[in-house]
Every structure is written in structure tokens, then in C-alpha cells.
Amino acid sequence: MSDIASRVKAIIVDKLGVDENEVVNEASFTNDLGADSLDTVELIMEFEKEFDIQIPDDQAENIATVGQAVTYIEENK
Amino acid sequence: MELKRVVVTGLGALTPIGNNIAEYWDGLKNGKSGCAPITHFDAEKFKTRFACEIKNFDPLQHFDRKEARKLDKFAQYALVSSDEAIKDAGINLDTVDKFRVGVIWGAGIGGIETFQNEVINFAEGDGTPRFNPFFIPKMIADIAPGNISIKHGFMGPNYTTVSACASAANAMIDALNYIRLGHCDIIVTGGSEAAVTQAGVGGFNAMHALSTRNEDPATASRPFDATRDGFVLGEGAGALVLEEYEHAKARGAKIYAEVIGGGMSSDAYHMTAPHPEGIGVERVMLNCLRDAGIDASQVDAINTHGTSTPLGDVAELKAISKVFGAHANDININSTKSMTGHLLGAAGAIEAIASILSMEHSLVPPTINHTTIDENIDPSLNLTLNKAQPREVNVAMSNTFGFGGHNACVLFRKLDE
């Protein structure tokens, strides 16, 4: 797992209180990991802070799974 | 329209002297002080470095980590104490009509720690607004009853009353009214507060409202003592299940007491200072007696607002003497704030619970830490000093007054079938 992927997954485990094994690339924040709309906003903010990036709202809307988050950050960091 | 009778069928408490009803009563009857040096933050630079904090409270014993993170302490305390009260009441959550169960809660401030930390976080940045999405829903004072209803599915009236230190008493009075008017069968009421934070202590210190007896925290809250120098900040929650009498009887519920009346008034005088003649305080007790339809001579015990401030304590006792006349000397007057500190918006709840427990145990908890007579206080009053007094309590009054001049008073009576 890349450094970015492991940091993304650590944030998700921490914020959503889920088991590490559940945080697979295909997992959807809302459908699989129990996030509500506010949790999702918080996750995006945590990604911004951790990786020192800005994720515009229209881009954030397209980040719905663990894998999509990792890919976005890898491409924009 | 005939008003319905309202009774108390469940109690819950999370206080600086006990984390449930049994521990709370044990602390009350033994005159335990809940005061100690502040542990929630480094108070070294503060004028007051002590408070009545909740002890040994681990949110993870009550909530999973994700849930705990989304709840300010005042909401955590609300959920824990209301859980105890709901369980104590024995409400069957599968069969009760949840549309007729409400939650009316009191909080004087709400999530001040959340507010403080979010603003600090913002101020440390470069001006870019990066607020946590849970900032507002964690902070707002009404989120406590919101969360209680979400947890248990109660779909009746749901809101928070805000009247500073009278908040929980206002919540209980609203609960009483909705039930006696027939709008609800059950209302979970009470109050919670968690203001032992830099902003809370610093703010009250700036007003010169808090005791600064840093050399002896355990005796700092000393209502009615000549050397009292301000209130001691407390935190925690109290919860009461109020229920329509026939509804409670039909399900065979244990009944602690009847809520027989509530009174409200305003000083219309000053933002924080009590009216020197205690006019509003006198009126609130008269309003409460009238609402309950009882004579002043029937009151056995009064748990005062008695915050240990120089002006407030004397004004309240003068008002009691005016309202009760010669009978004032036969009343067991006390201030349990001497033990718990001042829980602000939760004070009315834990003090009402103390009144109800004194009926149940025929024992009035003491006003501790009294050593020096205040010559401005009528010596013929029985202030239940330093030691609990055995007493058959049939009718008990609980007073609370809030910054802003809000006065609220509630009367309880042993159930008379």
C-alpha cells in the first residue's frame, strides 16, 4: 500500500470508527462505512489538512469511495 | 378543563459527588464536597483554579468512539443521566406511544468547549474558514434533547429551555404543563452543563462571580457563611421522568413524588445582580405556591438557589422570610450547592432530585462548610448546617435563579392517593 493510501485509511478508521479491514478501495463512505453527510464533509477536510491540499466542493462530490480518495490525492498532491 | 396530575417516575444523575442516583444520594447525605483542583485544562493562570468536576467519567464506557467525538460533554452527560432515568422509570420502549413522549431539557450555555476549541482552531490558522462540520450541531444547546429523542425514538415535544441557572427548572415546568394539559403522557426532563473550560472559568472569573479560595477548594462553596466569596463552578446532569399519574398507575410504575406546581418570575432589574429587595424571588415562590394550590405553611423543606455569593444568598433568605412568615423557622432550608457546586443550567434538575430523595429517605441533606455566622441572616432560620437532618418531608420546594433575572421554582409533594 502506498504511503498516501495508508494515511487516507488511517484517517477513515479514526473518523468513522470502523475496522481497518473494512477500509478497502471499493468501500463507499456512506453505503459501506456508515458515514452520513457531515462525516463525509469532515473526511474531506481531514484529507485537506493531512496532505495540505484544497479539494473544491465540485471535486469533493466525486469522492465517494476509499479508492477515489486515494486516487484524487495522488493526482493532486 | 381539568388538569391532569403529574408524577415523577424515574431519576438519573451524573454529578460532581456521584455518577448515578445511589452515589449522588450517598454524597448528599454524608455532606461530601465535589470540589477539587481543575483537571480539564491547565488553570495555572486563572484566578480560580478549582471546580466541581465530574470524576471518573470515561465517555467510551457509554458511547463508541465515533459517537463520543460528535457529542460535546454537555450532551454526553445528558444522554448518560437520561438513560439512567428512563431505565429507572421502567418505560417499555416497545409498547409506549412514542408520539406522546417528549424531551424538554435545560442547558444554560450548551457546548461551550466545542465553541471555544473551534474558534481557537480558526484563530490559529491564516483566516481560511475551516470549521468542523460537527461544530454547530455539537454546540447548540438543543442538541441534548435532540440526541435523547434520536436514541430512544421519542417523537413528542422536544427542545431546550435557556434561562441560565434556572434552565432546568424552566424545563421541568414546561414538562409539567404539557403533561397536565394532556399533550403528552411522559416527558424526559432535566438539564446538563459542561462549562469547566477556559472560556467558562475565565468568563465567570471576569465577572468576579466565582470563589477564588484556591488554598481550600473543598470548603469554597459555603452558602450562608459570612466568609462566602462567590460560587463554585460545577458540571454534570440530572434527569427526571415526569409522567401523567393515571398513565404511571396503569403500568404499575414506581412513583417518587407528585409535581404539584411551578412558578416563574423576572427581576427586571440587572443583567447579573440580584434585586436587593428580592422582589422577583419573593414573587416566584408565591406564584409557585398559588399554582400548586397549597398554603405556605405546608412546605417542609426548601432547597435554595443559595450559590454562596455575598448578595444572592441574603436576598433569597429575606424573600423566604417574607413569603413564609413565622413558618419560615420550621422549614428545613438548605443549599446542596455547598457540595455539588453550581451546575448552571443543570442546577435545577439535580437540586429537584435532591428534594425528591429527601422525601424518599426522610432526611434533608446539609449545607456544608458553614463556620462563621453572617449577621445579615436571620438566626432563627434552620439552614440545615453541616449535618443532614432527619425530617419527614411531605412538600419540598426547589428554587433556581438565573443571570438575566430569571426566577423559577418547583414544588413536589409525596404522592397522596
Side-chain angles (χ1 to χ4, degrees), chain B residues 287-310:
Chain B
N287 287 347
C288 194
L289 289 165
R290 193 177 52 206
D291 186 52
I294 65 165
D295 189 79
S297 65
Q298 291 174 264
V299 175
D300 301 302
I302 302 176
N303 196 351
T304 60
H305 186 56
T307 56
S308 187
T309 55

Side-chain angles (χ1 to χ4, degrees), chain B residues 8-204:
Chain B
V8 181
T9 56
L11 299 175
L14 179 58
T15 77
I17 60 170
N19 290 6
N20 54 51
I21 288 292
E23 286 178 21
Y24 178 43
W25 176 248
D26 199 56
L28 286 173
K29 73 176 182 193
N30 292 310
K32 178 179 174 181
S33 168
C35 192
I38 289 171
T39 64
H40 290 348
F41 63 93
D42 179 0
E44 192 194 336
K45 292 184 177 166
F46 285 68
K47 276 194 288 191
T48 297
R49 298 187 287 280
F50 58 89
C52 287
E53 294 177 335
I54 296 295
K55 283 99 184 154
N56 305 316
F57 179 78
D58 177 6
L60 297 184
Q61 286 184 350
H62 305 279
F63 312 100
D64 68 41
R65 208 166 45 84
K66 181 182 169 195
E67 200 180 8
R69 223 167 40 75
K70 295 180 182 179
L71 298 166
D72 186 274
K73 272 194 207 126
F74 95 103
Q76 294 181 358
Y77 296 165
L79 281 161
V80 171
S81 66
S82 59
D83 274 0
E84 184 186 7
I86 291 162
K87 196 171 164 208
D88 183 41
I91 300 167
N92 184 335
L93 296 171
D94 294 326
T95 56
V96 73
D97 180 354
K98 290 183 178 177
F99 286 104
R100 292 186 55 82
V101 182
V103 185
I104 303 180
W105 202 251
I109 302 178
I112 191 171
E113 184 174 42
T114 297
F115 186 89
Q116 169 195 294
N117 292 345
E118 283 292 324
V119 173
I120 288 173
N121 185 49
F122 171 65
E124 283 172 345
D126 64 0
T128 308
R130 299 177 63 83
F131 290 94
N132 188 288
F134 295 103
F135 167 29
I136 301 293
K138 267 175 80 174
M139 173 201 69
I140 48 180
D142 55 288
I143 206 67
N147 277 310
I148 293 169
S149 70
I150 291 163
K151 177 160 187 182
H152 302 285
F154 300 146
M155 296 170 77
N158 190 288
Y159 59 91
T160 283
T161 53
V162 180
S163 49
C165 311
S167 300
N170 278 115
M172 290 187 286
I173 293 168
D174 282 13
L176 165 68
N177 285 333
Y178 282 124
I179 298 172
R180 67 181 168 180
L181 288 169
H183 295 311
C184 294
D185 297 324
I186 294 173
I187 294 182
V188 179
T189 184
S192 61
E193 205 78 83
V196 183
T197 68
Q198 291 95 323
V201 176
F204 284 116

Side-chain angles (χ1 to χ4, degrees), chain A residues 13-17 34 38-39 41-42 45 48-49, chain B residues 65-66 69-70 121 128-134 137:
Chain A
V13 167
D14 179 50
K15 295 298 170 192
L16 300 185
L38 295 180
D39 290 318
V41 176
E42 191 182 33
M45 287 183 60
E48 290 180 331
K49 196 160 75 182
Chain B
R65 208 166 45 84
K66 181 182 169 195
R69 223 167 40 75
K70 295 180 182 179
N121 185 49
T128 308
R130 299 177 63 83
F131 290 94
N132 188 288
F134 295 103

